Amino acid sequence: MADAIDLDFMRHAIEVSKSAPARPNCFRVGAVLVDNKRRLLSTGFTLEFGDGWHAEAAAIKKAREAKLKIYGATIYSSLEPCSIRKSGGKDCAALLIENGIAQVFYAAAEPPIFVNCQGERKLKEAGIKVEKLEELEASFREINKHLF
């Protein structure tokens, strides 16, 4: 069950998402990666490293480059991690599983605008704890109003 600290990290992820450009073909997403002691490891946002970069992948890349331990970490993503990429490449759910992420919080389920996302299901099947923080979904939708 989420607590006030989880909500604060999700609010931070939503703030980070504002750094992503508003494009008609992608969501503006922010991600915050924290260790198992709830210390900030890194953040990431959509397109941070160019076309095709998702927020979760950017946060993991930065943590890895800083040689930070991410096994057992928690990620807060303003959008449900993807389970399929229309543009190709590894989906974020698979990336989180491969990197040993233990827990995922997200603010909004991915609407079927581009793909039929099954990120939550895929993560749970891998034994990862997943929780939607519905009280922050409206903030995600406001930042992404260019798609709704």
Side-chain angles (χ1 to χ4, degrees):
M1 186 83 177
D3 62 19
I5 295 171
D6 295 316
L7 291 170
D8 284 344
F9 278 126
M10 184 59 73
R11 285 184 190 98
H12 186 51
I14 289 167
E15 282 302 310
V16 169
S17 75
K18 293 176 182 177
S19 297
R23 291 193 180 169
N25 62 341
C26 64
F27 292 103
R28 297 173 72 196
V29 179
V32 171
L33 186 64
V34 302
D35 68 14
N36 59 6
K37 294 183 179 165
R38 296 175 130 180
R39 294 178 297 208
L40 179 67
L41 296 173
S42 64
T43 64
F45 58 86
T46 305
L47 307 176
E48 183 169 357
F49 295 109
D51 285 343
W53 277 91
H54 287 198
E56 300 91 336
I60 287 173
K61 173 183 171 41
K62 291 194 290 192
R64 288 231 171 264
E65 287 177 349
K67 300 193 182 331
L68 299 172
K69 180 182 176 267
I70 62 173
Y71 184 86
T74 296
I75 197 159
Y76 299 83
S77 179
S78 59
L79 181 64
E80 175 184 13
C82 68
S83 62
I84 186 169
R85 293 195 53 176
K86 192 174 183 180
S87 60
K90 185 169 289 189
D91 63 82
C92 292
L95 183 66
L96 298 176
I97 293 164
E98 284 178 9
N99 281 279
I101 301 302
Q103 189 166 248
V104 175
F105 290 93
Y106 67 95
E110 183 170 346
I113 294 173
F114 304 116
V115 297
N116 182 17
C117 183
Q118 298 293 314
E120 180 175 350
R121 180 189 55 75
K122 187 172 183 176
L123 292 165
K124 284 182 174 179
E125 286 175 356
I128 296 173
K129 181 183 172 195
V130 181
E131 186 173 344
K132 181 180 178 193
L133 302 178
E134 293 182 27
E135 55 267 48
L136 296 173
E137 183 172 357
S139 297
F140 168 81
R141 287 184 167 275
E142 176 62 26
I143 292 165
N144 287 283
K145 62 186 171 190
H146 63 287
L147 293 173
F148 294 103

